[in-house]
Amino acid sequence: MEYQDVRKQPLGLSRPNAKALKRTSALLDTYRSFNSELFTNLTSLYCRSLDEGNPFELRKMIELSTKMTLVGHACADAAGVEFTFRRKLLSALYGGCCFLADSFIDDYGEEIALRYINRFEQLLTSGWFTVSNDREQLFWIIISRIFGLCDILDPMLRQAIFSLFLAQRRDIELRSNAITFQRLKRSKQLQLLKTCARDRSGHGIAVLAHCIAPSLPLQTHHFLFCAGSLIMYIDDHGDCWADKRNSRITYMNQVKQPENILTRLFTETISMFPAVASQNASFVLLTTFLYRYFTTRLEKHKTEQHRGGLSWAVYE
Amino acid sequence: MNEQKKLPGVEMLLDTLSLSFLRLASTSNMAGEHPLLRIANTAQFDKTPWLFDSVTGKLHVRGCPSIPAASTSALYAVHRRDNLEGTTLRCKRCSDMKLKKDPPNDASDMLFGILALIEQFGTILRERGNEFRRSPRGKEFEKSLSPVIEKIDKQQKGAAGIILSVMEQLNTAINTLSVKAAATDGPSTKKVQPPKKPATKRPNRPTNRPKRSKGDSQ
């Protein structure tokens, strides 16, 4: 068995063995090349502003979709299905879709974010989306391709997509009602922020998992949802200083001892995955990725605290 | 929007179709009239009796008081009944609650779905059909298809005739049965009224009465 029992590790940190870490690095490199070619082609065809604009933005898109492809692979392993080319492409496209959707919501201010949320609601309730610039054109192309590669009307997948949308909407509403939010008790504030982060990434990974494996067992859905929530907490810890500069509050940048809390969340989540694989299912890749992501984002947090975070810095 | 470079590949073709379809929909105002696809179908989700808590990994019966408030936004309606009865994921509190039956899968929904699609795109289909029929290729096609269509037409007419006569016989049989049932039912039960006989005009009866003479009354 590649993975060592988390309960035997010192300091509560679960370190995968060297072979698992090496395999994860190799997979990331492979997927990075694949996604680089995919998105360079797509942006040159459908989105000149990304293709010819800030090079870091395209790199960030490629990096996010690379991670998403690896997470897709991990979801396939957890579901006990082969990670075929179709699943790889789905995961990569989903990463691109997440990057663009996040950029619509995060990069243009609250008013435009609210307008995009209304348009996403129209997309989910009627299937229509009006394209008004090349970035939206690329978004439409990517989601059309995703719809063509999976059964979008699978009941669990539909719920995951709609729940993800609701979580994004709640996040924007929290941000735009800052005064009301500040009047709440601190414990209530932290609870809302934690739930919001949990849902955004938990449902996000559920969407990917159900695209890849429509008959996903409920228990695996539960594990993957919790893994997705952990990814958000890790991500927010890494982006702590950039978010604070942009006056964006998250659960992780509001708690008093974020590193301790994050370590506890990491250990609790990792310990819930079964150590022994059953019926071809394996959580080794997922837990190895989570460990790698956790350690790199702890490092990023420290780096940016002293140096000052650059919003376009690309981290693996 | 930037012009698309033309490169081979099935994906490129599908991308072009997808964008063209979107442009067509927005110019013809189709988007405002008909939904294309409803992903967020909350009415369907509300019908299922089971809810799965993604946070705790527990399966609850809808309405179970043990569902944590913090899990409300992470609940998934479960549509698959397979192996849910004996699963270890069941919440202990509601595991004894009787499970309602699955809402039935209505096959007619699928038929109506197909009809809805045809109706939604009917104008485009008809226009394209008309154009194609007028083109040289379309005329050739029509020539080769005409005998087949004629044959189908005859067959269809024949089939329609058979169906109509069967339905007529069925209708007569139902009416006969209804009349019999009405005759055997008691007065207190609701019964199907037998069809009323059409009102017949009484024929003029020849009168045998002697005609009164004018002088009798005087």
Side-chain angles (χ1 to χ4, degrees):
Chain A
M1 196 174 63
E2 289 181 346
Y3 185 72
Q4 292 163 17
D5 189 353
V6 57
R7 289 170 287 267
K8 292 178 186 167
Q9 294 299 317
L11 300 174
L13 271 182
S14 332
R15 184 185 166 83
N17 64 33
K19 190 178 168 188
L21 283 169
K22 197 176 171 187
R23 182 183 172 236
T24 306
S25 293
L27 283 173
L28 280 168
D29 289 338
T30 307
Y31 297 149
R32 197 173 287 111
S33 307
F34 175 78
N35 291 341
S36 185
E37 191 184 335
L38 173 68
F39 288 107
T40 306
N41 280 339
L42 279 175
T43 51
S44 69
L45 288 169
Y46 303 114
C47 189
R48 285 274 168 80
S49 61
L50 255 179
D51 188 42
E52 293 166 3
N54 185 343
F56 289 111
E57 203 179 2
L58 183 58
R59 270 187 65 194
K60 282 198 105 169
M61 185 180 193
I62 291 168
E63 204 51 47
L64 175 61
S65 64
T66 300
K67 279 200 278 291
M68 204 59 85
T69 311
L70 188 78
V71 169
H73 190 157
C75 289
D77 281 2
V81 299
E82 193 192 337
F83 194 55
T84 55
F85 177 80
R86 182 183 67 87
R87 290 183 170 118
K88 183 167 74 172
L89 185 59
L90 249 175
S91 308
L93 289 171
Y94 184 62
C97 172
C98 288
F99 178 83
L100 288 170
D102 282 348
S103 73
F104 294 145
I105 290 166
D106 293 339
D107 295 352
Y108 304 106
E110 270 168 31
E111 200 186 312
I112 293 181
L114 281 166
R115 257 189 266 151
Y116 268 114
I117 278 290
N118 291 336
R119 290 172 64 191
F120 288 152
E121 186 169 9
Q122 194 198 16
L123 174 63
L124 294 180
T125 51
S126 71
W128 295 112
F129 185 75
T130 46
V131 169
S132 57
N133 57 46
D134 61 355
R135 195 176 275 247
E136 290 173 8
Q137 177 176 247
L138 179 61
F139 178 73
W140 175 258
I141 290 293
I142 287 176
I143 60 171
S144 299
R145 288 198 186 188
I146 290 173
F147 284 12
L149 288 167
C150 65
D151 177 13
I152 203 68
L153 294 180
D154 172 76
M156 291 294 278
L157 176 56
R158 290 168 85 173
Q159 289 180 86
I161 292 171
F162 191 52
S163 299
L164 175 60
F165 160 75
L166 290 175
Q168 292 283 31
R169 190 167 71 177
R170 268 194 299 276
D171 183 52
I172 291 170
E173 284 167 358
L174 273 178
R175 281 190 252 163
S176 50
N177 296 321
I179 297 167
T180 316
F181 181 78
Q182 292 302 331
R183 287 189 193 142
L184 296 170
K185 273 188 189 170
R186 183 169 157 76
S187 57
K188 182 70 183 170
Q189 288 179 7
L190 289 176
Q191 187 216 339
L192 280 173
L193 290 170
K194 191 178 182 191
T195 305
C196 194
R198 175 199 81 187
D199 288 349
R200 280 173 63 210
S201 198
H203 292 304
I205 204 173
V207 171
L208 180 59
H210 287 285
C211 274
I212 281 171
S215 305
L216 195 70
L218 289 177
Q219 192 169 41
T220 310
H221 167 99
H222 159 60
F223 293 145
L224 293 175
F225 182 89
C226 295
S229 307
L230 177 63
I231 288 172
M232 191 83 257
Y233 301 136
I234 294 173
D235 211 46
D236 283 346
H237 184 63
D239 292 338
C240 174
W241 304 111
D243 287 338
K244 277 187 172 178
R245 254 196 318 285
N246 294 327
S247 306
R248 189 178 165 191
I249 53 169
T250 64
Y251 173 70
M252 289 309 299
N253 70 20
Q254 294 301 295
V255 293
K256 284 179 182 153
Q257 293 178 328
E259 192 166 318
N260 289 352
I261 286 178
L262 187 63
T263 305
R264 180 178 56 79
L265 288 168
F266 175 80
T267 314
E268 277 172 5
T269 307
I270 293 290
S271 65
M272 76 169 52
F273 298 124
V276 178
S278 60
Q279 287 187 331
N280 303 324
S282 164
F283 289 91
V284 173
L285 187 58
L286 182 64
T287 48
T288 311
F289 167 74
L290 287 171
Y291 173 83
R292 189 192 161 103
Y293 198 48
F294 170 65
T295 50
T296 54
R297 286 310 178 268
L298 282 178
E299 202 49 49
K300 179 185 176 184
H301 180 95
K302 286 172 190 160
T303 309
E304 293 203 352
Q305 182 178 13
H306 300 299
R307 190 170 79 185
L310 304 166
S311 59
W312 291 117
V314 182
Y315 291 82
E316 197 192 68
Chain B
M1 279 181 245
N2 54 328
E3 272 186 48
Q4 299 168 24
K5 291 181 191 170
K6 286 182 186 165
L7 283 176
V10 173
E11 288 130 345
M12 278 289 304
L13 183 63
L14 292 172
D15 291 345
T16 309
L17 279 171
S18 170
L19 279 173
S20 307
F21 176 73
L22 198 63
R23 278 186 210 119
L24 176 68
S26 57
T27 51
S28 67
N29 203 31
M30 193 195 301
E33 290 170 5
H34 300 284
L36 175 67
L37 183 72
R38 205 188 307 273
I39 293 172
N41 190 356
T42 48
Q44 191 191 17
F45 304 153
D46 291 342
K47 284 182 192 168
T48 55
W50 300 279
L51 293 172
F52 184 67
D53 183 343
S54 307
V55 182
T56 61
K58 286 288 164 208
L59 185 68
H60 298 273
V61 171
R62 190 179 287 275
C64 174
S66 289
I67 299 175
S71 295
T72 309
S73 53
L75 293 174
Y76 279 69
V78 177
H79 288 67
R80 295 195 313 269
R81 200 190 167 83
D82 310 336
N83 300 322
L84 286 179
E85 296 281 355
T87 183
T88 52
L89 302 176
R90 291 288 304 273
C91 157
K92 284 175 189 168
R93 195 162 171 184
C94 64
S95 59
D96 293 331
M97 282 168 74
K98 225 177 169 183
L99 294 177
K100 288 180 195 169
K101 283 185 185 172
D102 276 336
N105 269 330
D106 201 345
S108 63
D109 279 348
M110 209 177 283
L111 178 62
F112 276 98
I114 294 170
L115 289 173
L117 277 174
I118 292 172
E119 196 257 349
Q120 185 170 353
F121 298 107
T123 321
I124 297 172
L125 285 170
R126 256 179 257 121
E127 275 178 30
R128 280 298 297 125
N130 248 323
E131 266 178 48
F132 184 67
R133 192 180 276 189
R134 280 186 255 121
S135 70
R137 184 81 185 96
K139 285 177 183 162
E140 270 179 45
F141 209 66
E142 201 175 3
K143 267 188 205 165
S144 60
L145 272 183
S146 291
V148 179
I149 291 170
E150 214 181 294
K151 196 176 175 186
I152 290 174
D153 268 347
K154 276 186 191 158
Q155 283 176 348
Q156 272 184 334
K157 279 179 193 166
I162 291 169
I163 291 169
L164 276 172
S165 67
V166 164
M167 286 191 69
E168 224 175 280
Q169 288 173 19
L170 202 60
N171 193 37
T172 312
I174 289 171
N175 277 336
T176 313
L177 282 169
S178 304
V179 167
K180 281 185 184 171
T184 52
D185 271 350
S188 58
T189 56
K190 247 187 178 178
K191 52 193 173 184
V192 175
Q193 296 296 327
K196 286 182 183 172
K197 285 183 187 173
T200 49
K201 208 177 169 185
R202 278 188 186 178
N204 288 327
R205 286 184 197 168
T207 49
N208 292 326
R209 290 183 195 167
K211 278 188 182 170
R212 280 187 184 179
S213 58
K214 282 186 184 174
D216 286 340
S217 56
Q218 290 174 0

